[in-house]
Amino acid sequence: MNIHEYQAKQVFARYGVPIPKGKMIEKAEDARAAAQEIGGNIWVVKAQIHAGGRGKGGGVKLAKNLDEVEKYASEILGMTLVTHQTGPAGKLVKKVYIEAGVDIQKELYLGMVLDRTSEMPVMMASTEGGMEIEKVAAESPEKIIKVGIDPLIGFQPFHARKLAFGLKLSKEQIKHFGKFCKALYEVYSNNDASLIEINPLVLKGDDTFIALDAKMGFDDNAMYRHPEIQEMRNLDEEEPTELEAGKYGLNYIKLEGNVGCMVNGAGLAMSTMDIIKLSGGEPANFLDVGGAASAETVAKGFEIILRDPNVKAIFVNIFGGIVRCDRIANGILEATEKIKVKVPLVVRLNGTNSAEAAEILKTAKIENIITATDLADGAAKAVNAARGV
Amino acid sequence: MSILVNKDSRVVVQGFTGKEGTFHSEQCLEYGTNIVGGVTPGKGGQTHLGKPVFNTVQDAVEAVNANTSIIFVPPAFSADAVMEAAEAGIKVIVCITEGIPAADMMIAKKFVQKQGATLIGPNCPGIISAGETKIGIMPGVVFKKGNVGVISKSGTLTYEAANQVVEAGLGITTAIGIGGDPIIGTTYIDLLKHFENDPETEAVVMIGEIGGDLEIQAAKYIKESFSKPVVAFIAGQTAPKGKRMGHAGAIIAGSKGTAKEKMDALSAVGVHVCDSPADIGKKVKEVLSK
């Protein structure tokens, strides 16, 4: 789960991570009052979407007077912002954040992420603030300083010193930087974050630090213990079909191809997409119906797959383990009665009671069901069926 | 022979009397697993499925000499259950539960290591030594006895692979689902070390997926220290970047953790990498007939 910049900054503020004064608005007519409330004589107007690269896409503007604040807010609200992270369709901007301008001495980068190799969070800093950090990592990895933080000891002053000396900060700056990093670690560990990025982190003229941007992602598995973070979830930013599938215990991700897939288990579901591609087709989706596929979940799965008009055939690939194949076969029959699946349905059931399952499907004599004996056979038949062969 | 668990493993089920715990304990007992008891706090002294129920893992260790545990408790309590087992002296801890916070697992894993125990999972189908013991939720019938070891991040894909190996006329020594979470107790390397020392295992099937770099670490280890043939398949060649594909750990972050990167690393060290998940059984057969 991700949250908006203005929300991440609210979390930062609770832990004493310095942020500029700001206010989120949803109507352009509120812009002027917001800017007046913030005070000062320079403001930044920022689109709030869950994607980076907003500045380049025209979603961040510097306003030098109240008229400009209002003008930029009305331009940005309602625009469809396309950045390197939104995909070509872009994202509709429904919220903007108006923030006080900051006196910038230098722009840096500071981030935290769970490092799967060392199995602990790492804090990363770089002098290359404002740049795409992926690009820095690829082109000049020596410019990124990393420290792993063992959760058994938490954040210690030496962690901060390692980063600070790497950034070549002055003695006065190091003092402020250490406090900043310590507070940021608290934000990360107390909220089960999976990612924090501050890009840029600004070194101000008075040698203190402030988070000019803020990006936060969280460990979905831990959200049950953070109701206040869960409340920040913005469903507008998520794929509606994926959300609906989730309610039924289905894991669905839409792709671009025309062969729909229904599979039990995430690994087998990914492999099914792969073998469709290897057989000359393109998968239309990832769909894991879970370990306990029932007639109801199968029916819902068909319904969701068929909402995508590109789908020309569906490949049902089930390896029955504890869930018996005969039950799944009956589930498919019930589901096709309910849902009226018109496209060809290639069914491969293997594992426990697969012979009985094959018999059930044969006896039912449903015209558009094509049975397959194994993974390769099923993929080939599904790809052909999608082509109309 | 087998690795880590065998017919003598004395298994205690944590979360024994719950719905999942009960169902899968029955399945394991049917397979022949030596379940010596279960733990459900507050139900100590009762009998369930004909086995004693204890309040704590420590009680089960003292009363019935349990040395292996399988965990079916809800995600919010799983890390605690793992640490309780490790503290009580359990040697092999199998955690089936999906959805455990990564921060909890970071701590639990460190404690398990300190105690000298082996943690399998979480978010995994468990471990099975064919014909001896099933400590997991996999369909036992698929795993016929033979000479091939299986290590996999996935559940049903493991059954698929084992089934192909069996249909090719071969069988399984031990199959382990290591789990699809970002932090897991046992990795490919840990298990390859065991398979290297198991005289009955003649080849290993390694099933990976997108996300993280465990497969790449394994490639380095195989190059330096593994003498038996390895057949590998990596799921997610067609997975889009930045999307979590079912498993918490199955995500391509930036350009890291792609299937191609892993397949190339494994091929480079002489692992037989299958492009298609339908070729795993055939490939093992081919490699072993050389």
Side-chain angles (χ1 to χ4, degrees):
Chain A
M1 182 190 140
N2 298 314
I3 57 175
H4 288 296
E5 172 198 0
Y6 76 92
Q7 295 168 317
K9 284 180 172 168
Q10 287 167 5
V11 181
F12 281 15
R14 268 182 234 156
Y15 292 85
V17 175
I19 53 162
K21 253 180 122 175
K23 200 165 183 209
M24 189 278 290
I25 59 160
E26 291 172 280
K27 289 190 215 109
E29 61 259 38
D30 297 336
R32 186 176 287 267
Q36 276 170 329
E37 192 187 321
I38 293 162
N41 51 18
I42 192 158
W43 299 269
V44 187
V45 183
K46 297 164 144 182
Q48 298 295 293
I49 56 167
H50 287 184
R54 291 170 300 169
K56 271 188 206 153
V60 179
K61 300 269 187 197
L62 190 70
K64 297 192 179 89
N65 56 53
L66 293 171
D67 290 337
E68 281 186 5
V69 170
E70 198 167 354
K71 175 171 166 262
Y72 293 140
S74 72
E75 279 171 15
I76 294 172
L77 277 167
M79 81 186 280
T80 300
L81 195 52
V82 180
T83 80
H84 68 284
Q85 287 184 359
T86 58
K91 273 189 173 169
L92 179 67
V93 183
K94 292 183 176 172
K95 295 172 159 76
V96 297
Y97 191 51
I98 299 174
E99 199 173 58
V102 169
D103 155 36
I104 300 175
Q105 184 186 148
K106 203 173 174 198
E107 292 192 356
L108 305 166
Y109 169 94
L110 188 64
M112 268 192 87
V113 67
L114 170 65
D115 179 50
R116 293 170 62 170
T117 308
S118 62
E119 300 181 323
M120 58 176 87
V122 283
M123 199 177 275
M124 296 172 291
S126 173
T127 50
E128 307 301 291
M131 304 266 295
E132 265 175 58
I133 202 68
E134 278 249 313
K135 221 172 154 189
V136 179
E139 287 165 11
S140 38
E142 74 286 353
K143 287 186 176 159
I144 299 176
I145 310 127
K146 292 183 184 181
V147 290
I149 303 156
D150 188 327
L152 296 179
I153 62 169
F155 193 84
Q156 298 296 330
F158 77 85
H159 291 126
R161 288 197 300 273
K162 269 194 186 174
L163 294 172
F165 286 114
L167 293 172
K168 300 196 167 58
L169 300 180
S170 73
K171 205 175 160 194
E172 177 66 13
Q173 291 162 357
I174 288 176
K175 205 176 72 193
H176 298 297
F177 184 74
K179 264 193 211 158
F180 190 102
C181 292
K182 169 89 177 151
L184 192 71
Y185 178 79
E186 297 301 325
V187 169
Y188 183 95
S189 58
N190 286 314
N191 293 288
D192 281 291
S194 55
L195 171 92
I196 299 182
E197 271 197 313
I198 303 175
N199 194 14
L201 166 72
V202 163
L203 172 60
K204 295 203 294 184
D206 62 0
D207 282 345
T208 63
F209 295 83
I210 192 162
L212 201 59
D213 193 13
K215 184 177 171 187
M216 273 191 94
F218 298 88
D219 176 1
D220 292 335
N221 287 349
M223 285 302 98
Y224 70 88
R225 57 191 178 200
H226 301 289
E228 72 296 348
I229 301 288
Q230 260 180 313
E231 270 173 30
M232 292 180 169
R233 185 168 176 185
N234 183 351
L235 299 181
D236 283 349
E237 294 283 336
E238 295 175 40
E239 186 62 41
T241 319
E242 291 174 16
L243 275 174
E244 189 190 338
K247 282 186 201 144
Y248 292 86
L250 304 170
N251 212 321
Y252 172 87
I253 293 167
K254 190 183 172 307
L255 302 169
E256 304 301 319
N258 62 5
V259 184
C261 310
M262 184 184 305
V263 190
N264 65 331
L268 193 59
M270 271 189 274
S271 313
T272 304
M273 288 158 41
D274 295 346
I275 198 168
I276 285 169
K277 175 97 178 175
L278 287 166
S279 308
E282 288 288 342
N285 65 278
F286 167 91
L287 175 60
D288 173 10
V289 294
S294 66
E296 201 203 347
T297 52
V298 169
K300 193 72 203 176
F302 283 139
E303 192 199 315
I304 284 171
I305 290 173
L306 288 168
R307 265 184 225 168
D308 175 358
N310 293 335
V311 171
K312 297 288 180 277
I314 299 177
F315 181 17
V316 180
N317 182 21
I318 304 283
F319 200 102
I322 302 296
V323 182
R324 296 177 352 233
C325 291
D326 51 336
R327 276 184 51 191
I328 293 180
N330 282 322
I332 291 170
L333 294 185
E334 262 178 63
T336 47
E337 264 170 42
K338 251 199 321 213
I339 304 293
K340 302 279 173 264
V341 180
K342 292 204 182 79
V343 300
L345 206 57
V346 178
V347 181
R348 179 262 179 159
L349 294 170
N350 206 337
T352 318
N353 291 7
S354 55
E356 289 87 335
E359 196 53 40
I360 292 168
L361 292 177
K362 222 167 115 188
T363 321
K365 289 205 173 82
I366 295 179
E367 218 174 87
N368 60 337
I369 291 188
I370 304 164
T371 53
T373 51
D374 60 27
L375 197 48
D377 183 44
K381 283 177 174 163
V383 169
N384 281 335
R387 281 193 193 126
V389 180
Chain B
M1 279 283 282
S2 51
I3 69 164
L4 285 168
V5 296
N6 58 36
K7 60 183 190 328
D8 299 322
S9 298
R10 299 177 64 81
V11 181
V12 61
V13 181
Q14 293 176 255
F16 191 33
T17 56
K19 192 174 154 231
E20 295 280 307
T22 301
F23 176 76
H24 290 293
S25 296
E26 280 172 336
Q27 301 279 324
C28 290
L29 284 165
E30 204 174 293
Y31 192 80
T33 303
N34 184 20
I35 293 179
V36 295
V39 173
T40 298
K43 292 194 177 174
Q46 300 181 8
T47 302
H48 184 63
L49 307 178
K51 306 287 174 190
V53 183
F54 301 95
N55 282 325
T56 67
V57 179
Q58 187 71 48
D59 288 348
V61 169
E62 282 166 12
V64 292
N65 287 322
N67 59 13
T68 305
S69 95
I70 180 164
I71 296 174
F72 290 105
V73 309
F77 314 109
S78 292
D80 173 43
V82 167
M83 292 186 283
E84 182 188 355
E87 201 266 346
I90 296 287
K91 288 296 161 219
V92 177
I93 304 161
V94 181
C95 186
I96 306 295
T97 310
E98 176 172 6
I100 304 173
D104 294 5
M105 281 316 300
M106 274 190 310
I107 307 271
K109 181 170 181 181
K110 283 180 190 298
F111 182 68
V112 167
Q113 284 172 333
K114 176 176 158 275
Q115 295 295 103
T118 297
L119 169 66
I120 296 168
N123 189 11
C124 79
I127 176 168
I128 181 167
S129 287
E132 297 195 47
T133 190
K134 176 180 109 150
I135 306 167
I137 60 171
M138 61 287 276
V141 287
V142 174
F143 298 81
K144 300 275 187 299
K145 196 156 178 53
N147 303 91
V148 181
V150 179
I151 312 171
S152 169
K153 276 185 176 173
S154 152
T156 43
L157 188 53
T158 312
Y159 319 157
E160 171 72 43
N163 190 53
Q164 287 181 25
V165 168
V166 169
E167 287 195 339
L170 300 160
I172 308 296
T173 48
T174 299
I176 307 102
I178 58 175
D181 273 2
I183 293 182
I184 52 177
T186 299
T187 64
Y188 296 106
I189 295 178
D190 305 322
L191 295 166
L192 287 167
K193 285 180 187 164
H194 286 288
F195 279 129
E196 178 71 18
N197 295 327
D198 176 36
E200 270 189 21
T201 299
E202 289 173 13
V204 171
V205 172
M206 207 183 119
I207 296 172
E209 65 188 22
I210 54 162
D213 69 346
L214 292 180
E215 294 85 351
I216 290 173
Q217 292 176 30
K220 282 184 199 139
Y221 172 79
I222 289 168
K223 186 181 180 194
E224 286 158 15
S225 324
F226 197 70
S227 67
K228 302 176 184 183
V230 179
V231 171
F233 172 73
I234 307 293
Q237 296 166 51
T238 50
K241 283 182 185 177
K243 280 277 188 184
R244 212 169 283 284
M245 306 302 280
H247 293 150
I251 181 165
I252 300 169
S255 53
K256 290 278 176 207
T258 62
K260 184 167 188 308
E261 179 190 1
K262 297 180 181 198
M263 290 163 78
D264 290 349
L266 289 163
S267 293
V269 297
V271 169
H272 307 271
V273 179
C274 303
D275 289 333
S276 164
D279 294 342
I280 299 167
K282 267 184 272 177
K283 184 62 88 179
V284 177
K285 175 93 177 167
E286 185 189 310
V287 167
L288 281 180
S289 354
K290 271 181 195 163

